[in-house]
Amino acid sequence: MISDSTPRKAISRRIFLQRIGLAGLGTLVLGACSDKREDGAATTLDRTIGLGPDGSLLGGPGEPYAVRTELGEAQSGRDGRRRSLIAFHHLSDFRITDEESPARAEWQAGCSPPVAGAFRPQESLSVQAAEALIGRANELSRSPATGRSIDFAIHTGNSADNAQFNELRWFIDMMDGKPVYPDSGAIGYQGVQTESPAPNYGDLLKQAQLPFNPVGLKYPWYAVQGNRDILVHGAAAPGDRATRIATGAQKIMILGPDALVEACEGSQTLLGPDSSPTVLNDPLTVVRSVGKDGNRRFLAAADWLAEHFGTADAPGPAGHGFSPDSVATGAAYYAFDRGAVSVIVLNTVNPAGFAGGSIDEPQFLWLEQELIARSGVYFDAAGAQVNTENLDRLIIVATHHPSDALNNPFPGPNAEERRYQGPDLEALLHRFPNVVLHIAGHTLEHRVVPRPFSGDTTRAYWEITTGSPSYWPMQGRLIEIADNRDGTLSIISTVYDSAAPINPGDAEDPTPDDKQNQRLLASVARQAAARDPARDGAPGLAASDRNAELLIRVSLDTATLPTATATPREAP
């Protein structure tokens, strides 16, 4: 093992990329950008961003709404008839990253197959990139489809990248518009990169650590727990050894080839109580001394919930959906009503570990009762119709994991309890015609999937997954539900880029008093993400996974549904 106190002389970026198997697959060199300024495009309806032939980022034509009729007929004249019921920003997987933490595992990018997201050239700029997306969400205070004011925002999990206290605090403070100091340990950058990922900005890594004043989100926002919020690397329950590593002073910069093979067989070889000395004793492994930081400690589930009460009074709500009872019991799920719509938030993280999700039995039974309480008509498990006196509401279910990723059967703390997976959730939701939408994150890509029900189209629903500002193309999504007054609803999905300009030179500092232009850094982050040789190159599965009007038939009388009025705050 090489103990490396001066890695800038010992390890170059090229050596690091060679060790993890990425050298030669692409370039991180950022070419000169055009002097042409932005055209003020607000959403991808107006303009898209793509890579030009020379590798530079260029503005492209907008993407119109794709009208999708898998679950309902698109009847003529609906634009003039429709009544907006709700509009909200769907954000996900900010994955705020302490890239200097000893608990990071960048070496996993060299495993076969590589662990997705183990190393990202733009990872030192996660806070700035997320803040730029918040800036754009603030600008989009009305739906581009109907002009309705935004009711709220929801973040569907993985606010942190590696379950650390400081990562969560940076996230909450950024959302609140409080000053953020995205540095940890000793002052200055102490991560694995020894050169800027953007040669035109040689001091980028230094600038990324400096404090700045974020704009803050101006809407009430709700939180969802993700696997990376409470699991180390999003996959392992934190233990004493993992915590000592995270808060300690030794960071693995490079694993030697033999050590890499062993470590890739299981992260417990480094993080577990029986960690292998072979890994650290490999002569080609490089370990650097870094500054200790107790704020890198891992959070227990109850602590993660409690931190959501350490927040600004406005825009609220207190706890961001969670209640004091949530902290006491560890139940990271809840429901809230907004006019005609109810949002039911679930916790799909399996505390036993692994990235995939599932739902514990008490929560699954609670979900069924919450669905019944908002349904005038539903179907029991045997398929028989049940009529109630309950007030009908349209229902949105929010989870971190989409249905396809609810595939983790491992038992939680109560080994006797069943873990409910994707097919179980789908079967339950199909019993309630008022369920029209399931939103999720986790996959880091935009996706829209119909969930039909054989024999009864009014028991179908749509599932929408939204990407991340930490990965190309760094976007968010605005979702609106409108009553077409013809027996159908339109769920309108509008994707938008962050407020960072295409050209970093065009970046205007939204908070100039702090002398730190976070929008310039966010613009450089987007360029680095676009050129990340590990990314698959696709911004989404299809254009219809981004800007889309999703038709769905409903059986309830929508004329009786109430509406809600949004009251966004002014950004600080």
Side-chain angles (χ1 to χ4, degrees):
M1 177 183 73
I2 302 171
S3 179
D4 179 22
S5 60
T6 57
R8 296 181 187 277
K9 296 180 181 179
I11 313 169
S12 71
R13 179 166 55 96
R14 180 172 297 278
I15 291 174
F16 176 72
L17 292 174
Q18 287 173 341
R19 291 279 186 91
I20 65 173
L22 298 181
L25 296 181
T27 177
L28 299 179
V29 176
L30 306 185
C33 296
S34 164
D35 289 331
K36 184 178 179 181
R37 285 194 165 269
E38 297 270 12
D39 60 5
T43 73
T44 57
L45 293 169
D46 310 302
R47 185 214 57 206
T48 55
I49 300 174
L51 282 171
D54 62 350
S56 61
L57 293 182
L58 300 172
E63 291 182 339
Y65 290 120
V67 179
R68 296 187 56 172
T69 58
E70 296 101 309
L71 302 181
E73 180 184 357
Q75 301 180 43
S76 61
R78 64 190 182 282
D79 289 358
R81 291 192 305 270
R82 68 172 43 130
R83 174 179 67 134
S84 181
L85 300 175
I86 202 163
F88 61 95
H89 285 286
H90 180 199
L91 309 170
S92 198
D93 293 85
F94 278 15
R95 288 182 61 167
I96 301 302
T97 303
D98 176 6
E99 80 284 11
E100 303 173 277
S101 172
R104 291 273 294 160
E106 296 90 347
W107 50 266
Q108 289 181 325
C111 295
S112 182
V115 175
F119 169 74
R120 296 159 285 164
Q122 73 276 13
E123 63 189 12
S124 63
L125 301 166
S126 62
V127 183
Q128 294 86 351
E131 192 268 357
L133 191 64
I134 288 172
R136 180 67 82 202
N138 285 342
E139 294 172 7
L140 294 171
S141 60
R142 292 184 177 273
S143 160
T146 69
R148 179 187 178 86
S149 295
I150 301 302
D151 291 275
F152 60 88
I154 187 167
H155 181 273
T156 49
N158 283 1
S159 51
D161 188 69
N162 198 28
Q164 293 182 187
F165 167 77
N166 59 346
E167 293 176 336
L168 177 61
R169 279 311 328 166
W170 294 340
F171 169 83
I172 294 174
D173 291 345
M174 175 192 62
M175 297 286 273
D176 283 345
K178 296 179 180 178
V180 174
Y181 190 2
D183 196 7
S184 66
I187 295 174
Y189 180 78
Q190 291 187 317
V192 298
Q193 296 190 81
T194 59
E195 302 168 8
S196 168
N200 290 345
Y201 299 89
D203 65 346
L204 182 68
L205 298 174
K206 174 184 176 182
Q207 291 292 320
Q209 313 308 311
L210 298 179
F212 71 95
N213 298 326
V215 295
L217 189 64
K218 70 179 184 180
Y219 315 104
W221 60 272
Y222 295 85
V224 180
Q225 190 174 94
N227 56 300
R228 286 184 172 270
D229 290 319
I230 62 168
L231 298 177
V232 181
H233 303 160
D240 291 341
R241 176 174 173 78
T243 298
R244 288 196 300 271
I245 291 173
T247 57
Q250 299 293 312
K251 178 175 175 62
I252 295 175
M253 310 298 285
I254 296 287
L255 279 182
D258 294 338
L260 181 64
V261 171
E262 180 175 347
C264 288
E265 292 178 355
S267 62
Q268 291 302 303
T269 57
L270 287 175
L271 297 177
D274 300 321
S275 115
S276 168
T278 306
V279 172
L280 295 180
N281 290 337
D282 187 301
L284 295 179
T285 290
V286 179
V287 176
R288 180 186 184 185
S289 295
V290 297
K292 291 184 178 182
D293 194 334
N295 286 334
R296 288 171 173 155
R297 65 187 181 274
F298 294 118
L299 287 172
D303 297 327
W304 185 88
L305 291 167
E307 284 302 317
H308 287 78
F309 289 87
T311 185
D313 292 336
H320 298 290
F322 303 116
S323 68
D325 285 344
S326 300
V327 179
T329 64
Y333 47 90
Y334 58 91
F336 67 94
D337 300 326
R338 187 77 179 189
V341 179
S342 293
V343 181
I344 302 177
V345 173
L346 302 180
N347 174 20
T348 57
V349 180
N350 190 329
F354 299 97
S358 55
I359 303 171
D360 62 88
E361 188 166 20
Q363 181 182 186
F364 198 80
L365 297 176
W366 170 88
L367 170 61
E368 182 177 26
Q369 293 306 308
E370 292 294 312
L371 293 169
I372 291 172
R374 292 163 171 82
S375 298
V377 176
Y378 71 96
F379 296 84
D380 66 19
Q385 180 173 312
V386 179
N387 298 315
T388 78
E389 298 297 321
N390 299 330
L391 177 67
D392 275 312
R393 292 183 182 274
L394 298 175
I395 299 171
I396 300 170
V397 174
T399 64
H400 174 64
H401 297 86
S403 296
D404 293 346
L406 290 173
N407 54 9
N408 187 341
F410 293 97
N414 185 348
E416 302 300 319
E417 244 174 43
R418 177 183 172 187
R419 300 292 301 187
Y420 291 80
Q421 300 180 65
D424 303 310
L425 179 62
E426 289 183 48
L428 179 61
L429 299 186
H430 281 312
R431 290 172 44 201
F432 294 86
N434 290 5
V435 174
V436 295
L437 179 62
H438 174 195
I439 60 172
H442 188 69
T443 65
L444 309 177
E445 67 179 6
H446 301 312
R447 193 179 183 196
V448 176
V449 179
R451 298 294 182 189
F453 182 81
S454 178
D456 188 347
T457 56
T458 66
R459 293 170 64 180
Y461 63 93
W462 287 96
E463 183 173 313
I464 294 178
T465 304
T466 294
S468 163
S470 287
Y471 290 77
W472 169 262
M474 298 184 167
Q475 294 173 326
R477 193 191 297 263
L478 193 158
I479 297 175
E480 181 176 21
I481 300 178
D483 173 18
N484 294 323
R485 306 186 196 222
D486 58 11
T488 69
L489 302 175
S490 287
I491 301 173
I492 303 169
S493 159
T494 309
V495 168
Y496 51 90
D497 293 303
S498 80
I502 295 176
N503 177 8
D506 290 339
E508 296 182 1
D509 189 349
T511 55
D513 290 346
D514 61 10
K515 310 300 182 184
Q516 177 72 347
N517 190 342
Q518 65 264 32
R519 294 296 164 80
L520 184 151
L521 298 179
S523 179
V524 175
R526 182 199 281 131
Q527 292 191 358
R531 292 167 176 81
D532 181 358
R535 79 174 185 87
D536 62 14
L541 299 183
S544 59
D545 289 299
R546 298 187 289 273
N547 295 337
E549 180 188 356
L550 313 174
L551 277 296
I552 184 168
R553 284 193 60 206
V554 289
S555 57
L556 57 82
D557 182 4
T558 56
T560 64
L561 295 173
T563 58
T565 302
T567 55
R569 70 164 177 171
E570 291 300 317

